[in-house]
Amino acid sequence: MTLVQVENLTLRFAGRAKPAVDGVSFEIQAGECLALVGESGAGKSLTARALFGLTGRNTEVSARALRIDGHDVTAFTERQWQALRGATVGMVLQDAMVSLDPLRRIGDEIAEPIHIHARRRGLARGAPAGVAERVIELLRQVGVPDPEARRGSYPHELSGGLRQRALIASALAADPALIVADEPTTALDVIVQEQILRLLGDAKAAGRGLLLISHDLGVVSRLADRVAVMKDGAIVETGPAAALVSAPTHPYTRTLVDALPDRRPADPAARPNGTAGPAADVKTVPRPDGTPVLTVTGVGKTYGTAGRQRRALHNVSLTVRPGETLGIVGESGSGKSTLARIALGLLPPDEGDVLLHGKPWSSIPERLRRSRRATIQLIHQNPTAAFDPRFTVADIVGEGVTERGRTARRARITELLRQVGLDEDFLTRRPHHMSGGQRQRVAIARALAPRPALLICDEPVSALDVSIQAQILDLLADLQHETGVAMLFITHSLSVVRRISHRVAIMKDGHILEEGPTAAVFAAPRHPYARQLLAASLLPVP
Amino acid sequence: MRPGLGRHILLRLLSGVFVLWGAATLCFLTVSLRGDTVGAILGPGQPPTPELRRQIIAEYGLDDPWLVQYGRRLRELLTGDLGWSYQRDQPVARLLADQIGPTLQLAVAAALLSVLLAVAATLLTAGRGRLVRAAVSGLELLAVSLPNFWVGTVLLALFSFTFPIFPAVGAPGPAGLVLPAFALALPAAGVLAQVMRQELETAETRPFAVSVLARGAGLFHLRARHTLRHAALPVVTLSGWVLGSLAGGAVLIENIFARPGLGRLLASAAASRDLPVVTAIVLLSAAAFVVINLVVDLLYPLIDPRLRAEAAR
């Protein structure tokens, strides 16, 4: 049965000539999953909102046909839409931390669609009978342990995975025939991502239609029956998932497929700019004779006061040598960021020692550290938050430049911009006039300005679109080749770490479970958790 | 009870004691050390004879060093002795007890009214077209900027004299409360409405609002169950400020409407330099601030569960 039939859907913001969604057509059958894939701004989410009549006030929506579960919704009134929302179509958004009302208990959020639609159908004015049981049943269905107690929790009290499960439960509550999931796993770690995809797969197996929206072709291709690739508001290619990934026809689809980190050409010569640098298996060999830039020995860290303690790091040891990248992978809460802060000398370890170039680093007072601070530089996940929005690019990069004199400084800033692939036009731009990728390039230029020996990269590409991710990873590898800088690369993405790292360390609950050369770890992980992690990122969803 | 809550309250109460001490000291310094205290005690009339002067100075210990006077004052306050009014020949505590009722009535009515007006203005205009919002926002700005003694006078002229709907002055009972409460509430309502609308609109652009609408909720449901609660947060924050504006406004409003109350008592006491009465009212306001802020502090985690974990720390 055809659940959704969209024909020539066009959506325009008032006062704009160019439509944001331009002649999109697709169908979804019951029990089928269609994926909409494309980069941010491609019109995916707007297309999804059109199925809810929630495109906002200042939009004009037109379609030759827009049928949902047998209803022609093109002329629907707001009241008719309200009857449809939740009961026929359910929505799951990205990051339940902000997609669930932070002031309400998850049980109330899950019960909400049940109450709304019971009231609309004119059933009992009070609470319909058995709602509490239904909520518990839903929580159990989405795999939340101890549902009787958990329904009284607030979103911030749950882990990212449990929150997302609760959000899915709230979308399922009024038993809709179609689930629209807009980037449902983007904020999650690989293993949790896998679990959430499975859960959505269960909904599909139960006969619901599924519209899955993502910027990550790798994620959707594991669950989707068909994939539609969107670019600039239009669908450029549609086809069965497997066929589309193995033999993309449209050039844009091809760039998306190529950008899948596992599929990047391993041979540097095959890369577009032809520069040397590490690819899927890394070619640059660290100088074995170099003294380690960073030596971390037996570091432990505990947060909290007596009674409510949480151990963030247990006996962590690692070294980073010049010209080498050590990747640290782990889920959120595994201690990665604490490790980064200790390495930066921003947080004193409770046990153990950190040496920089073989000299004491963590044990000395800040006064003595300050003169050597330029040796370690940090690249954040979100450069927008790390820039003063009033600064120009020249100001931002200039902060780290050590040269004296106007001409020398300017020359150095221009050179740094050139190194990160930006021309002189960018000197006077401000952060909000740049794309995410360009901003991250500026952040890299600023980090390189004082000629550091070590770059600490904390999820530097997680906020970027896949094709931009690949460019930034290439850039980092090229810069390492050029300058010999060492990198401590923190990420939750296995495919990213595989592309960039010479060695990889897998972290969980504050422990380093496994450490070794990237190829060896990926080929034959020894620790059970590492095996589980790798399996989650590679296996297709059944 | 949450762990650490008792300690938290204790700390706040301690800092409250510090605030009260500061208020008492400032009162003592500004009023007591300047001008002719004997004249203030005797009140207007013919200048006192040297004989009488000496008698007063001896009785009130005015020839003691000021540090001794200050110590004596603090000791009296600590034992709960608010003193004896210079002018009215009554214990200050009795004066306050007589006058606090009408003022409380007025303040509570004005506070409720300002929140009611603010919620109404917010619900009617949030998310509306630009014209409606500009007009209402302008009105709110006007409400904030107009001095409330002027508003009070205009309300009196309109609704008591031109259209005699409400009693003019000094009337007891609810009817007499309407106009003064309105005049007092307007500026606070203007500020609260602006802040609430901002917060409501911010909340309605957040993803959870989309989630709620996608469950089939209408705008009324979204606001009643979700976003108004978010908008209430800054109102709670501002309630200390609202109290201040009410306390200041009450002095003027009570005089205009010839209502009994602390504001009017304060005005006459200040005019005749009746130090014990002024000090007592200032201390009472300071205590009210301390209590309101403590209550706000404890209310926050009730409205925003995200703060519960932090408050427990």
Side-chain angles (χ1 to χ4, degrees), chain A residues 49 52 54 57 82 85-86 89 91 93 98-104 109 112-113 116-117 119-120 154 156 170, chain B residues 127 206-208 210-219 221 225-226 229-230 303-306 308-309 312:
Chain A
R49 299 279 176 90
F52 288 81
L54 284 175
R57 211 200 311 272
Q82 286 177 11
R85 292 176 199 146
V89 284
M91 186 185 277
L93 292 171
V98 292
S99 301
L100 290 169
D101 188 336
L103 304 187
R104 299 183 87 215
E109 289 282 280
E112 186 163 50
I116 289 173
H117 291 286
R119 216 176 303 142
R120 178 158 292 116
Y154 290 95
H156 70 274
S170 83
Chain B
R206 303 258 301 281
F208 78 79
V210 177
S211 290
V212 174
L213 292 177
R215 289 172 192 148
L219 190 61
H221 179 101
R225 297 293 174 82
H226 296 268
R229 199 166 161 198
H230 289 250
I303 302 180
D304 191 342
R306 289 167 293 185
R308 280 173 218 172

Side-chain angles (χ1 to χ4, degrees), chain A residues 390-403:
Chain A
R390 286 177 194 81
F391 273 26
T392 62
V393 166
D395 296 332
I396 291 168
V397 177
E399 275 188 309
V401 166
T402 48
E403 276 76 2

Side-chain angles (χ1 to χ4, degrees), chain B residues 17 20-21 24 71-82 283:
Chain B
V17 169
L20 289 179
W21 168 75
R72 190 163 52 220
R73 187 93 195 96
L74 282 187
R75 199 163 51 244
E76 283 166 9
L77 289 176
L78 271 180
T79 56
D81 178 9
L82 292 175
L283 282 180

Side-chain angles (χ1 to χ4, degrees), chain A residues 17 58 152 165 184 193 227 268 345 349-350 377 394 410 413 487 539-540 542:
Chain A
N58 297 317
R165 285 166 193 268
Q193 183 175 314
V227 175
D350 295 337
Q377 291 294 309
R410 199 179 156 89
I413 294 171
M487 286 198 278
L539 280 182

Side-chain angles (χ1 to χ4, degrees), chain A residues 488-518:
Chain A
L488 187 66
F489 196 101
I490 292 170
T491 179
H492 68 273
S493 163
L494 285 168
S495 43
V496 164
V497 86
R498 189 178 194 179
R499 261 196 55 66
I500 189 92
S501 313
H502 301 85
R503 285 186 301 124
V504 61
I506 296 178
M507 277 191 87
K508 183 174 169 59
D509 300 334
H511 294 275
I512 290 188
L513 299 182
E514 179 155 1
E515 201 231 297
T518 307

Side-chain angles (χ1 to χ4, degrees), chain B residues 142 145-157 183 252-253 256:
Chain B
L142 204 65
S145 330
L146 288 178
N148 50 19
F149 58 85
W150 186 84
V151 175
T153 319
V154 170
L155 285 177
L156 260 184
L252 297 164
I253 294 297
I256 290 169

